[in-house]
Amino acid sequence: MTSSSDRSPAVDVQAPKSYEIRTYGCQMNVHDSERLAGLLEDAGYVRAPEGADGEADVVVFNTCAVRENADNRLYGNLGHLAPKKAQRPGMQIAVGGCLAQKDRDTIVKRAPWVDVVFGTHNIGKLPVLLERARVQEEAQVEIAESLEAFPSTLPTRRESAYAAWVSISVGCNNTCTFCIVPALRGKEKDRRPGDILAEVEALVAEGVSEITLLGQNVNAYGSDIGDREAFGKLLRACGGIEGLERVRFTSPHPRDFTDDVIAAMAETPNAMPQLHMPLQSGSDTVLKAMRRSYRQERYLGIIEKVRAAIPHAAITTDIIVGFPGETEEDFEQTLHVVREARFAQAFTFQYSKRPGTPAAEMEGQIPKQVVQARYERLVALQEEISWDENKKQVGRTLELMVAEGEGRKDGATHRLSGRAPDNRLVHFTKPDEEVRPGDVVTVEVTYAAPHHLLAEGPVLAVRRTRAGDAWEKRNTAEAAKPAGVLLGLPSVGVPEPLPVATGGGCALD
């Protein structure tokens, strides 16, 4: 006779299925993953708890096609899951995002254990495709060629209780020769201003106090609805929403950065003194080859106007090193712009071929060792400038919005971290009273490093906010939820927050 201690634990077949989402790439993908999470939870799935790797009932890859070796990284991760799936009948794997839109049937051919492949235009179909794959016991590949519904109409599980992305457009009308995103995301499609503001107001009512307006080319907003000044008007309208403390946007294009946008930034109280303006190259020759519709003089002119209107603005950028045909003189022009613009930070990339882009077929591909040497020179220069610009912050009194997960060493150093209005990261001494993410503290900056600031003295003031209340309410509710464990199998950890470049819908915009 078998004793009760020898029996296998009872399996709860009614337990909800768990999911894990792994996100790669830009802010647009991060926001899409919030929607994918919302869709799955709406369909009855639960987010898998932390502590395991690849053991969720559904693992979703939200992919990027911009970075070099993006496909190798995907197939490596899929290969890692293949034996786990073979041991666990019922486990499903889905692949979405830009790489799925580009490679389509190739994914299932190279990784036949994948259950679902979906594109950038039909993320709302994921739960249906998973169920169809389960019932039919075969892979489902569905790639829409155009947007079926604006993504913001989909349910969303936002990562933050106090800060939120708000998409104002999707797609891009530019034809930059290094970028494949327009081919995968489609032409620009704008949301109606009333719909955007309604979403912002709803978020503020839930406790959100900071929003970031998001688009592949965010300041081109209005071209699809016939109003070239629509973006400046939208910024001003956000300024009138009570309870909305901070408004940011990413990523603009110099071509569309007009004086009315600068005026709107300067005159709207909750528009933050921060601007991410992709440069890509300081050489007019290279910019022309990239099909960037501005030149060095125009770019530096924008920076000068922004600084005149908003003296404390922190300006960041994206730069590509080693674009085909780039000469040493061209590269020196990039260094010249970096010295003149004095960016607070630059996200620098070594050019890599992306199949399907005009630049991949261009003559004059630069040897890797040359690109690497130029890249190191650029990074060294920018590090020096970033440090110098941060040193100018020492002695300033700043209001910080307390952040969650921004300071990796906060536990060991007994500090907390927050973002200044200009988005600089500041680590500050933990006060005696409770401070929650979303609350606001006032501190004096005492030390500067190239990528962060320190406020080592006592906190000067603490302001508890509705955003902090929202964070506390969410965490209390999350703690009360049952763990997302399925069918007696090990649960899986949620991926760590993605360190995303603030380069907009495409990190190379």
Side-chain angles (χ1 to χ4, degrees):
M1 182 175 178
T2 304
S3 69
S4 60
S5 61
D6 294 329
R7 295 185 192 129
S8 298
V11 174
D12 180 7
V13 295
Q14 300 301 318
K17 292 186 176 182
S18 63
Y19 74 89
E20 172 191 2
I21 300 175
R22 301 184 185 183
T23 308
Y24 306 96
C26 64
Q27 290 97 328
M28 194 70 75
N29 270 17
V30 174
H31 193 21
D32 280 349
S33 288
E34 291 183 330
R35 296 178 180 121
L36 292 170
L39 283 160
L40 291 171
E41 294 190 7
D42 224 32
Y45 294 81
V46 296
R47 190 171 187 169
E50 296 186 26
D53 177 23
E55 301 292 344
D57 296 280
V58 173
V59 179
V60 183
F61 292 87
N62 190 6
T63 63
C64 170
V66 172
R67 294 287 183 266
E68 185 177 17
N69 297 323
D71 49 353
N72 291 338
R73 185 178 185 187
L74 170 65
Y75 293 116
N77 285 323
L78 291 175
H80 175 70
L81 289 183
K84 297 189 178 189
K85 187 171 189 244
Q87 296 169 7
R88 298 180 56 218
M91 178 183 177
Q92 291 184 297
I93 300 172
V95 179
C98 288
L99 197 62
Q101 186 81 20
K102 181 175 77 74
D103 285 359
R104 307 181 181 225
D105 296 330
T106 304
I107 293 172
V108 174
K109 289 177 182 177
R110 291 186 60 177
W113 54 92
V114 169
D115 298 275
V116 171
V117 178
F118 62 101
T120 59
H121 298 311
N122 61 331
I123 64 175
K125 292 289 186 68
L126 177 59
V128 172
L129 293 172
L130 287 168
E131 180 64 13
R132 193 186 300 164
R134 185 187 66 80
V135 172
Q136 297 183 6
E137 297 184 344
E138 64 180 11
Q140 302 295 309
V141 179
E142 189 168 308
I143 307 290
E145 296 300 332
S146 60
L147 196 65
E148 294 181 345
F150 203 92
S152 289
T153 62
L154 301 174
T156 303
R157 186 199 191 282
R158 297 185 182 272
E159 289 298 313
S160 171
Y162 55 89
W165 307 106
V166 176
S167 286
I168 69 171
S169 64
V170 294
C172 180
N173 293 336
N174 293 320
T175 57
C176 300
T177 54
F178 55 79
C179 186
I180 198 169
V181 169
L184 304 178
R185 292 274 183 178
K187 292 291 186 182
E188 180 179 325
K189 186 172 179 59
D190 295 336
R191 293 177 71 191
R192 293 175 55 186
D195 292 341
I196 297 168
L197 295 171
E199 181 181 355
V200 174
E201 289 172 348
L203 288 167
V204 172
E206 294 172 5
V208 168
S209 60
E210 176 179 310
I211 60 132
T212 300
L213 302 175
L214 186 62
Q216 238 106 28
N217 183 7
V218 70
N219 61 320
Y221 175 76
S223 61
D224 182 48
I225 58 178
D227 184 356
R228 300 301 299 181
E229 295 187 349
F231 185 67
K233 294 175 183 176
L234 183 62
L235 279 180
R236 293 179 186 276
C238 287
I241 296 176
E242 186 176 353
L244 180 59
E245 297 194 17
R246 296 185 172 193
V247 179
R248 306 185 191 277
F249 59 89
T250 194
S251 176
H253 192 292
R255 182 194 67 186
D256 303 295
F257 208 84
T258 51
D259 289 350
D260 68 292
V261 173
I262 297 173
M265 289 178 66
E267 296 165 11
T268 304
N270 59 2
M272 293 295 96
Q274 172 217 354
L275 175 64
H276 184 81
M277 181 70 78
L279 169 65
Q280 308 307 2
S281 175
S283 162
D284 288 354
T285 302
V286 174
L287 289 170
K288 183 178 180 180
M290 289 178 168
R291 286 192 203 146
R292 303 288 285 181
S293 52
Y294 56 89
R295 299 296 179 260
Q296 181 187 121
E297 183 178 3
R298 158 79 172 149
Y299 186 92
L300 288 174
I302 293 171
I303 301 300
E304 184 178 355
K305 287 181 179 179
V306 170
R307 290 237 161 89
I310 314 167
H312 287 300
I315 300 173
T316 58
T317 195
D318 295 332
I319 300 173
I320 299 172
V321 178
F323 188 80
E326 180 188 75
T327 65
E328 180 62 24
E329 183 180 353
D330 292 325
F331 178 65
E332 286 292 343
Q333 288 299 305
T334 296
L335 297 182
H336 168 71
V337 174
V338 169
R339 293 186 187 101
E340 290 293 311
R342 301 200 62 79
F343 300 114
Q345 190 175 4
F347 300 94
T348 52
F349 307 90
Q350 296 186 39
Y351 171 77
S352 61
K353 285 186 178 182
R354 298 310 301 148
T357 62
E361 307 301 323
M362 287 182 177
E363 296 181 358
Q365 301 286 330
I366 311 297
K368 172 67 176 177
Q369 63 269 26
V370 175
V371 178
Q372 181 67 34
R374 289 177 183 171
Y375 176 80
E376 291 173 2
R377 288 164 58 196
L378 173 61
V379 168
L381 173 61
Q382 183 56 51
E383 286 279 298
E384 179 185 330
I385 292 172
S386 294
W387 200 358
D388 285 345
E389 291 301 306
N390 275 359
K391 287 175 182 176
K392 296 177 183 178
Q393 305 298 310
V394 174
R396 289 190 67 193
T397 299
L398 301 175
E399 271 201 338
L400 311 180
M401 181 175 291
V402 181
E404 184 175 29
E406 294 265 26
R408 297 179 182 178
K409 299 179 181 179
D410 282 352
T413 58
H414 303 290
R415 293 179 179 136
L416 296 176
S417 299
R419 291 282 175 178
D422 65 9
N423 211 37
R424 282 183 165 93
L425 179 63
V426 184
H427 306 300
F428 62 94
T429 302
K430 189 174 183 178
D432 293 334
E433 61 186 291
E434 180 191 21
V435 178
R436 308 159 301 178
D439 287 338
V440 174
V441 299
T442 304
V443 301
E444 181 179 333
V445 178
T446 57
Y447 176 81
H451 301 291
H452 68 268
L453 303 172
L454 291 181
E456 299 163 299
V459 169
L460 303 178
V462 174
R463 176 164 59 87
R464 292 173 68 85
T465 65
R466 291 172 60 254
D469 294 342
W471 179 89
E472 186 173 350
K473 181 179 178 181
R474 173 189 275 199
N475 278 264
T476 301
E478 292 287 339
K481 284 183 179 180
V485 179
L486 283 194
L487 306 179
L489 296 169
S491 54
V492 63
V494 178
E496 292 187 4
L498 184 71
V500 191
T502 53
C506 165
L508 300 181
D509 271 353

